[in-house]
Amino acid sequence: MSKKLKASKDMRDSLKVLCGNWQWLHGNFTAIQEKYAGKWIAITAAQVVSVGLTSRDVKANLPGNYQQQESLILYVPEEEVSRPM
């Protein structure tokens, strides 16, 4: 018999924030791509909070009040994306 795993309240809250960041990215991808093409970014609380040339730079420069597990860190492509994120 398998046990059901339960996520902690903190884990559920972090997941909600992360999902909200994905939704914000999806709705704002064109504007984000125009501004940050060719760079790495971190999105937290529905805003870009860190920008860099590498993911390491972005992680290192996350403002102290943002947690990495709640931040969406991604590379913004320069070329057209066939299907928005």
Side-chain angles (χ1 to χ4, degrees):
M1 202 182 327
S2 64
K3 291 184 177 182
K4 288 186 177 182
L5 297 176
K6 291 187 177 181
S8 68
K9 181 182 180 329
D10 289 342
M11 180 69 83
R12 287 191 307 269
D13 291 346
S14 291
L15 188 56
K16 286 178 186 177
V17 171
L18 191 58
C19 288
N21 291 331
W22 272 110
Q23 290 174 336
W24 184 82
L25 171 65
H26 179 74
N28 295 281
F29 186 74
T30 301
I32 290 168
Q33 190 176 33
E34 287 173 2
K35 188 170 183 178
Y36 301 109
K39 296 183 178 137
W40 284 84
I41 63 170
I43 297 172
T44 301
Q47 60 183 335
V48 175
V49 296
S50 183
V51 180
L53 296 177
T54 68
S55 61
R56 183 174 287 179
D57 293 340
V58 169
K59 290 175 188 176
N61 293 315
L62 273 176
N65 54 333
Y66 295 115
Q67 298 180 30
Q68 189 172 330
Q69 69 264 23
E70 293 178 354
S71 298
L72 180 59
I73 298 174
L74 64 127
Y75 178 77
V76 180
E78 295 181 58
E79 63 276 352
E80 184 176 334
V81 177
S82 61
R83 187 174 68 114
M85 299 176 134

